[in-house]
C-alpha cells in the first residue's frame, strides 16, 4: 500500500512539473555549497557587504574604492548604481578579475516605477486593483532589469494609521487585508514565475515590522506595539509575502518594544527564518547596523556588527560595520562560522536564482534598455493606473464631469503647472520635470473653442498672498475653476513627518478667495497623505484626490475631469477631521462606553468634547459619476461549524446614467468574543463593472480563517457565537446579515 502511495505521489509530482522545480532548487543548493567550500573568510564576508554607488539615499556612508574592493571579492552588492553601462563596468570586474568570479547584485528603490513613473503606492492602493498593480510592477521590473538593476527594495507593507508619518505614501494604507493583497501583487509583479527571467527582479518586503507606529508619527522614533496588534495587524502581510516566496526582507530602522529591528533576534532570526522558513536575504536598512549605537544598544561598531549578525541580518547596507568588524568577530568566536555561512548561502542562493552565474551580463543589454524604458505602451499603462488611482471625494450636484466645450476654464494653484511633484517622493530614475502637468492635460483635452487660463495663486509653502489678486481675476473671467492644491512630493516619503497635515502655506486661503468669486471651484488635491481639509470639504463643491500619479498625471486627471474615465478609487486610509483624532481608523474597538450618538448625549462616553469621533472621509470611501444600489444580501446558511465555509451574496445595481466600476467591500464583525474585537474588519473585496440599469450578484466565500482571532492565550481560534456580515460601497454605508457559529 505504502509503495503504491509513493509511486502515485512520484507520478503526480513528476506530471505537475513540481519535480523539475525541486530538482532545480536542489541543484542550486549544491552549487552554493560547492562555491562556499572554496571561499576564504574575506570573500565570505564580502558577500554581506553592500555599498552605495554615486547617489546617496541616506546620511553619508563609507567612502570606498569600489573597483579595488570588488576585485578582492570584498563587496557582494551595490545599491544606486544603474544603467547597463555602469552596472556592466563593475560587474565585469567582479566576474573577470575577482578570484571566484562571483557576480554582484544591484539594488535600487524601485517603489512606483523605474523611469516610467506610476502612481505612488498609496494611490495604487486606492485602486483596490491588485491585477493592475501586478501589471505595473511587471513593467517596473522590466524597465529596471533592462537597466542592469537586479534587486528592488519594494514593496513597503507597513500598515499605517498615522498620516503624520510621511511614509504612509509608500504603503498601501491602514488595513491589513488590503495591504496584504497589494503586497502579494507587487511581489508577483516584480518576481514573476522565475527570478531567472531577464525581466524579473528580486523583491524586498520592508520595513519589518510595525515601523508605521513611530510615536506621534515622528520619523524614526520608537515603536511600542502589543503582541496582539503585532500579530493581528502588522505581521500578516510579511507572512503572506514570505509564503509567496519573496526573495528578501528589510528590517526597519526602528526599535520595536525596546529592541531595534536590526538587532531583533526574536523577530528576524527566530520567527522569520526559523519559524516561517524564510530562505531569502535579510538586508539592513541604510546604515542601520551602525545606528545601533545611537539607539543605545551597542557601544561601538564591533558590537553593532555582532548584534546585527546574531539577529540574522545578512547584508549590511552601507554602514561598513560588517566589512571592518566581521573578521575579528569570527576570530573572537562571537559570530560562528555557521552563522556566517548561513548568511552567505542566502546571498549566493539569490544570485544563482537570478541566473547571474549562468550569465552575469543577463541584465546588460543596451538595445533592450533603449527599447524598454519609457516606451509608449508603458506610459499608456501608467495613464490607466493613474485613472484608477484617483478618489472622487465630493461632487455636489454632479458638477463633474465637465463638458469639453465649456467656454473658459481657469486652472489655478501652486501644483497646476507642476511637472515634477506629480512624480512623487520615490520616483527612482524618473526624469526631473517629466510628468504631464494638470494644465497640460486639460489643454490637450478641451475642444478647440475652449480657452484655458492659468494663474499660480501662490507657491506651495507661501505665507504671503501676493499672487492672489491675479488668481482671483483669472477666476472671474472663467466659467469654472480647477484649483490644484496640496503638498510638494518631498513633504511625504522618508524623513517627512508633519505635525500639521492641513494644506500647507496659504493654500486654504487661496481656495477661500476663489470660492468667494462665486465661480464654481473643483479642488484637485495632490498629496502623499490624508489631509485635514475640513473647510474644503464643507465649501468646495467638488474634490478629487489624486495623490501623486506619476508620469501621466495631468492626462489622467483630465480624463476624470471631463468624464473620459469615471472615477472608481476608494480611500485605503481614513481622512481625519483634525490631527487630534490620530490614530483614527475604521476597524476600531468599541470600549466599555461607546459613543451613543443619542440626541442628548451622555457625558461619560468615549468621545471628545470639542470634535466628532467620526472622520472627514472614512476608509473605503469614494464616489463615482454613477450611483450603485446594494440589495438582497443573503447567506447560504445561518448556522455553521467553526471549520465550515459559507457564502454571502448581494445584488449591486448601477442606478445612474453612466457605466462605472464599483468596489464591493466585505466586512465581518464578531459580536461577542473572549477578547475585545474591532467593530468590523475587511475580509474581501471585488471590483465589478456595470452599465447603467444593469445588476450583478456579487458572491463572497467566508472561510474559517476570516473568522479567526487570537484568544487570551494568543491562540488562533474561531469562537462560537454570532457574526455580522457587512457589504457595501465603503466601510460605513453597508447592508448587513448575520450567522452563528455553533460547536
Ligand atoms: C530607506 C529604505 C530604502 C533605503 C535604500 C532607506 O533610507 O528607509 O526604504 O530602501 O534607504 O535607499
Amino acid at each position: 500500500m505504502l509503495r503504491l502511495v509513493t509511486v502515485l505521489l512520484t507520478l503526480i509530482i513528476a506530471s505537475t512539473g513540481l519535480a523539475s522545480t525541486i530538482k532545480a532548487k536542489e541543484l542550486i543548493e549544491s552549487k552554493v555549497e560547492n562555491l562556499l567550500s572554496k571561499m576564504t573568510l574575506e570573500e565570505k564576508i564580502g558577500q554581506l557587504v553592500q555599498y552605495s554607488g554615486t547617489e546617496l539615499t541616506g546620511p553619508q556612508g563609507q567612502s570606498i574604492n569600489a573597483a579595488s574592493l570588488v576585485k578582492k571579492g570584498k563587496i557582494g552588492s551595490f545599491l544606486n548604481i544603474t544603467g547597463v553601462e555602469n552596472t556592466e563596468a563593475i560587474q565585469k570586474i567582479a566576474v573577470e578579475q575577482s578570484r571566484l568570479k562571483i557576480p554582484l547584485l544591484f539594488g535600487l528603490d524601485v517603489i512606483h516605477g523605474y523611469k516610467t513613473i506610476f502612481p505612488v503606492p498609496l494611490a495604487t492602493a486606492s485602486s483596490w486593483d491588485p491585477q493592475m498593480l501586478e501589471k505595473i510592477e511587471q513593467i517596473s521590473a522590466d524597465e529596471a532589469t533592462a537597466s542592469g538593476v537586479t534587486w528592488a527594495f519594494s514593496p513597503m507593507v507597513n500598515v499605517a494609521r498615522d498620516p503624520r508619518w510621511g511614509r504612509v505614501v509608500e504603503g498601501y494604507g491602514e488595513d491589513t487585508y488590503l495591504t496584504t493583497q497589494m503586497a502579494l501583487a507587487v511581489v508577483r509583479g516584480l518576481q514573476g514565475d522565475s527570478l531567472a527571467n531577464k525581466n524579473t527582479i528580486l523583491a524586498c518586503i520592508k520595513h519589518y515590522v510595525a515601523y508605521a507606529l513611530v510615536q506621534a508619527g515622528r520619523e524614526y522614533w520608537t515603536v511600542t506595539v502589543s503582541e496582539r496588534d503585532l500579530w493581528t495587524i502588522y505581521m500578516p502581510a510579511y507572512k503572506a509575502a514570505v509564503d509567496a516566496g519573496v526573495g528578501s526582507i528589510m528590517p526597519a530602522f526602528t526599535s520595536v518594544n525596546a529592541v531595534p529591528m536590526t538587532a531583533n533576534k526574536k523577530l528576524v532570526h527566530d520567527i522569520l527564518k526559523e519559524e516561517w522558513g524564510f530562505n531569502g536575504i535579510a538586508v539592513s536598512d541604510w546604515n542601520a547596523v551602525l545606528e545601533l549605537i545611537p539607539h543605545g544598544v551597542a557601544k561601538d561598531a564591533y558590537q553593532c556588527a555582532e548584534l546585527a549578525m546574531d539577529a540574522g541580518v545578512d547584508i549590511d547596507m552601507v554602514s561598513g560595520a560588517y566589512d571592518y568588524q566581521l573578521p575579528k568577530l569570527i576570530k573572537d568566536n562571537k559570530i560562528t562560522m555557521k552563522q556566517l555561512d548561513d548568511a552567505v548561502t542566502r546571498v549566493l542562493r539569490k544570485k544563482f536564482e537570478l541566473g547571474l552565474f549562468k550569465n552575469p551580463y543577463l541584465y546588460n543589454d543596451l538595445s533592450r534598455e533603449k527599447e524598454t524604458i519609457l516606451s509608449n505602451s508603458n506610459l499608456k499603462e501608467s495613464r490607466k493606473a493613474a485613472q484608477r488611482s484617483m478618489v472622487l471625494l465630493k461632487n455636489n450636484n454632479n458638477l463633474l464631469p465637465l463638458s469639453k466645450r465649456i467656454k473658459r476654464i481657469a486652472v489655478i494653484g501652486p501644483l497646476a503647472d507642476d511637472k515634477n511633484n506629480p512624480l512623487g517622493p520615490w520616483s527612482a530614475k524618473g526624469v526631473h520635470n517629466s510628468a504631464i502637468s494638470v494644465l497640460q492635460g486639460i489643454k490637450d483635452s478641451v475642444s478647440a473653442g475652449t480657452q484655458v487660463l492659468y494663474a499660480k495663486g501662490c507657491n506651495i509653502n507661501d505665507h504671503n498672498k501676493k499672487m492672489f489678486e491675479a488668481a482671483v481675476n483669472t477666476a472671474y473671467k472663467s466659467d469654472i475653476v480647477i484649483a490644484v492644491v496640496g503638498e510638494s512630493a518631498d513633504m511625504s516619503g522618508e524623513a517627512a513627518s508633519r505635525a500639521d497635515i492641513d494644506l500647507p502655506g496659504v493654500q486654504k486661503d487661496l481656495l477661500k478667495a476663489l470660492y468667494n468669486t462665486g465661480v464654481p471651484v473643483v479642488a484637485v488635491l495632490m498629496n502623499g497623505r490624508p489631509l485635514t481639509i475640513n473647510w474644503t470639504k464643507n465649501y468646495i463643491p467638488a474634490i478629487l484626490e489624486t495623490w501623486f500619479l506619476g508620469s501621466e498625471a495631468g492626462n489622467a486627471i483630465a480624463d476624470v475631469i471631463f468624464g473620459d474615465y469615471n472615477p472608481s478609487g476608494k480611500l485605503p486610509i481614513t481622512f481625519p477631521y483634525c490631527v487630534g483624532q490620530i490614530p483614527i481608523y475604521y476597524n476600531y474597538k468599541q470600549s466599555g462606553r461607546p459613543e451613543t450618538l443619542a440626541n442628548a448625549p451622555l457625558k461619560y462616553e468615549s468621545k471628545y468634547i470639542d470634535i466628532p469621533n467620526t472622520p472627514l472621509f472614512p476608509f473605503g470611501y469614494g464616489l463615482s459619476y454613477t450611483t450603485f444600489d446594494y440589495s438582497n444580501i443573503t447567506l447560504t446558511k445561518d448556522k455553521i461549524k467553526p471549520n465550515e465555509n459559507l457564502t454571502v451574496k448581494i445584488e449591486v445595481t448601477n442606478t445612474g446614467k453612466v457605466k462605472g466600476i464599483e468596489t464591493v467591500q466585505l466586512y465581518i464583525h464578531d459580536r461577542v468574543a473572549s477578547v475585545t474585537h474591532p467593530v468590523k474588519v475587511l475580509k474581501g473585496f471585488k471590483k465589478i463593472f456595470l452599465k447603467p440599469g444593469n445588476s450583478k450578484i456579487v458572491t463572497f466565500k467566508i472561510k474559517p480563517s476570516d473568522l479567526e482571532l487570537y484568544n487570551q492565550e494568543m491562540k488562533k481560534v474561531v469562537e462560537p457565537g454570532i457574526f455580522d456580515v457587512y457589504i457595501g460601497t465603503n466601510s460605513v454605508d453597508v447592508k448587513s446579515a448575520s450567522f452563528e457559529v455553533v460547536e
Side-chain angles (χ1 to χ4, degrees), residues 14 40 273 341 350 356 621 685 695:
T40 63
K273 292 183 169 179
D341 284 352
K350 292 302 155 193
L356 284 167
Y621 172 84
F685 58 87
S695 296

Side-chain angles (χ1 to χ4, degrees), residues 163 393 485-487 491 498 500-504 507 525-534 536-537 545 547 573-579 582 616-617:
L393 295 176
V485 292
E487 300 179 299
M491 292 179 83
R498 290 183 70 200
D500 173 1
I501 57 168
D502 205 338
L503 287 169
Q507 294 186 69
L525 301 174
M526 260 184 219
N527 44 290
R529 57 159 62 75
L531 300 174
T532 50
I533 44 165
N534 205 11
T536 310
K537 181 192 170 187
E545 175 57 77
W547 311 110
I573 187 163
T574 304
F575 268 51
Y577 173 91
C578 69
V579 168
I582 297 170
L616 211 54
F617 298 108

Side-chain angles (χ1 to χ4, degrees), residues 98-132:
S98 76
R99 191 179 76 93
L100 289 174
K101 306 182 178 5
I102 302 175
L104 296 159
L105 293 175
F106 295 97
L108 187 76
D109 292 295
V110 187
I111 312 292
H112 52 107
Y114 179 72
K115 214 161 210 167
T116 300
I117 302 303
F118 298 102
V120 292
L122 195 60
T124 49
S126 308
S127 75
W128 295 53
D129 191 341
Q131 262 173 317
M132 174 207 89

Side-chain angles (χ1 to χ4, degrees), residues 57-58 79-80 109 111 153 167 170 206-207 211 220 250 253 285-286 317 426 494:
T57 44
L79 78 159
N80 299 334
D109 292 295
I111 312 292
F153 300 123
R167 303 196 87 163
E170 281 178 66
K206 68 187 191 185
H207 311 84
Y211 180 5
Y220 309 131
M250 184 187 290
F253 285 126
D285 204 341
W286 180 280
M317 183 190 280
W426 273 109
E494 188 179 350

Side-chain angles (χ1 to χ4, degrees), residues 549-622:
L549 292 174
S551 304
E552 288 287 312
N555 284 336
I557 291 169
D559 292 337
V560 166
I561 287 178
F562 297 106
D564 290 331
Y565 184 82
N566 181 359
S568 57
K570 304 275 187 177
L571 292 179
I573 187 163
T574 304
F575 268 51
Y577 173 91
C578 69
V579 168
Q581 287 184 327
I582 297 170
I584 181 166
Y585 43 90
Y586 82 94
N587 48 349
Y588 60 89
K589 293 179 178 179
Q590 280 285 39
S591 88
R593 292 184 176 183
E595 194 184 19
T596 53
L597 292 173
N599 283 340
L602 302 169
K603 178 173 172 60
Y604 299 100
E605 289 180 350
S606 175
K607 63 170 188 280
Y608 302 97
I609 58 171
D610 55 348
I611 56 162
N613 277 3
T614 45
L616 211 54
F617 298 108
F619 175 81
Y621 172 84

Side-chain angles (χ1 to χ4, degrees), residues 286-590:
W286 180 280
N287 201 42
V289 178
L290 270 188
E291 287 169 17
L292 293 175
I293 299 174
H295 263 300
V297 299
K299 62 177 185 300
D300 52 20
Y302 179 83
Q303 201 184 358
C304 287
E306 179 188 358
L307 288 175
M309 265 305 277
D310 196 42
V313 175
D314 305 307
I315 290 184
D316 169 9
M317 183 190 280
V318 309
S319 96
Y322 282 12
D323 191 358
Y324 295 111
Q325 307 299 335
L326 270 180
K328 193 158 183 323
L329 283 163
I330 298 279
K331 207 171 122 235
D332 296 347
N333 250 328
K334 297 275 185 171
I335 295 297
T336 64
M337 213 50 191
K338 190 164 171 265
Q339 283 175 303
L340 180 68
D341 284 352
D342 175 65
V344 179
T345 296
R346 289 165 183 274
V347 178
L348 296 178
R349 182 182 287 137
K350 292 302 155 193
K351 290 184 174 183
F352 274 107
E353 286 178 14
L354 281 160
L356 284 167
F357 281 96
K358 218 185 222 169
N359 178 6
Y361 302 117
L362 182 63
Y363 305 94
N364 301 108
D365 173 348
L366 267 177
S367 59
R368 186 180 153 225
E369 185 176 39
K370 276 200 197 104
E371 281 158 25
T372 309
I373 291 175
L374 272 176
S375 69
N376 281 341
S377 73
N378 291 359
L379 286 168
K380 242 191 209 162
E381 290 301 330
S382 177
R383 182 167 179 167
K384 271 200 225 160
Q387 291 170 337
R388 282 157 193 252
S389 300
M390 277 175 261
V391 186
L392 183 63
L393 295 176
K394 188 176 172 188
N395 194 20
N396 266 17
N397 301 321
N398 297 322
L399 179 58
L400 289 175
L402 304 179
S403 156
K404 288 183 185 172
R405 298 188 177 281
I406 203 161
K407 268 208 169 136
R408 263 179 243 102
I409 301 185
V411 186
I412 296 177
L415 287 148
D417 193 22
D418 194 316
K419 299 187 183 67
N420 204 46
N421 284 301
L423 295 177
W426 273 109
S427 51
K429 306 306 284 182
V431 178
H432 191 74
N433 272 334
S434 65
I436 306 288
S437 71
V438 178
L439 182 62
Q440 192 59 50
I442 288 178
K443 279 185 180 165
D444 292 347
S445 290
V446 290
S447 62
T450 302
Q451 215 186 331
V452 180
L453 308 173
Y454 164 72
K456 193 165 193 185
C458 61
N459 292 304
I460 292 170
N461 267 311
D462 269 358
H463 288 286
N464 69 71
K465 302 179 182 175
K466 285 184 202 150
M467 291 187 268
F468 274 30
E469 199 184 324
V472 165
N473 288 339
T474 308
Y476 274 126
K477 284 185 219 145
S478 312
D479 303 304
I480 186 111
V481 172
I482 308 287
V484 192
V485 292
E487 300 179 299
S488 57
D490 62 5
M491 292 179 83
S492 62
E494 188 179 350
S497 292
R498 290 183 70 200
D500 173 1
I501 57 168
D502 205 338
L503 287 169
V506 291
Q507 294 186 69
K508 186 159 65 180
D509 294 332
L510 177 66
L511 284 182
K512 285 182 183 171
L514 297 171
Y515 171 79
N516 286 335
T517 62
V519 178
V521 179
V522 175
V524 170
L525 301 174
M526 260 184 219
N527 44 290
R529 57 159 62 75
L531 300 174
T532 50
I533 44 165
N534 205 11
W535 183 89
T536 310
K537 181 192 170 187
N538 285 338
Y539 291 93
I540 299 296
I543 308 171
L544 182 66
E545 175 57 77
T546 74
W547 311 110
F548 296 114
L549 292 174
S551 304
E552 288 287 312
N555 284 336
I557 291 169
D559 292 337
V560 166
I561 287 178
F562 297 106
D564 290 331
Y565 184 82
N566 181 359
S568 57
K570 304 275 187 177
L571 292 179
I573 187 163
T574 304
F575 268 51
Y577 173 91
C578 69
V579 168
Q581 287 184 327
I582 297 170
I584 181 166
Y585 43 90
Y586 82 94
N587 48 349
Y588 60 89
K589 293 179 178 179
Q590 280 285 39

Side-chain angles (χ1 to χ4, degrees), residues 44 137 188 206 246 251 260 268 310 320 430 487 502 672 685 733:
K44 285 181 181 175
E137 293 298 326
R188 280 195 305 270
K206 68 187 191 185
V246 71
V268 180
D310 196 42
E487 300 179 299
D502 205 338
V672 180
F685 58 87
D733 302 316

